[in-house]
Amino acid sequence: MSKGEKMSEKATDAVKKAGKSLKDATTKAAENAASLNNKVIDHAEANTRAAFAAMRSAASVKSVTDLAKIQTDYVKEQGARSMTQAKEVGDMIAQFGRDAMAAWRPKSD
């Protein structure tokens, strides 16, 4: 094999390797998007269940004081839930970024 053929083969291998890396990264990005979408849907379902539970409780109150307590508790719990949910989503996105960067780092063979 001539020197030119060897260089051509190396270049072809490098392009194939880059193409595979790009395909793998694209596949992983789609998987990550699906995971993130599912997490957001899970959060929306939890928030909706909590809101309906608060409404059910509010519908059966005997006094304005009880209603105020239910509303205060709901707002407090929803605030905490929102902070937890935002952290979960942020952690997922950060991990996706770390994974993406790791995939592009040279591997020692």
Side-chain angles (χ1 to χ4, degrees):
M1 185 180 288
S2 73
K3 187 175 183 180
E5 290 172 326
K6 287 179 185 179
M7 288 179 63
S8 177
E9 186 177 307
K10 282 184 181 182
T12 299
D13 289 345
V15 169
K16 285 180 182 178
K17 187 176 179 182
K20 183 184 179 326
S21 292
L22 184 58
K23 181 181 175 189
D24 292 347
T26 303
T27 299
K28 187 64 177 171
E31 291 169 1
N32 290 345
S35 294
L36 186 58
N37 289 340
N38 287 331
K39 180 59 74 176
V40 170
I41 290 168
D42 290 346
H43 290 167
E45 288 175 345
N47 295 340
T48 301
R49 281 192 301 276
F52 276 99
M55 286 189 283
R56 280 189 200 95
S57 295
S60 65
V61 297
K62 304 285 189 234
S63 70
V64 174
T65 304
D66 291 343
L67 180 60
K69 179 168 179 6
I70 289 167
Q71 182 179 10
T72 301
D73 291 347
Y74 170 75
V75 169
K76 181 179 173 183
E77 290 166 5
Q78 183 58 42
R81 194 170 28 258
S82 292
M83 292 296 290
T84 299
Q85 291 169 348
K87 182 177 181 336
E88 287 176 5
V89 168
D91 289 348
M92 286 180 77
I93 291 169
Q95 186 61 52
F96 296 160
R98 287 189 293 272
D99 292 347
M101 294 306 295
W104 289 98
R105 285 190 197 108
K107 294 175 180 73
S108 56
D109 294 322

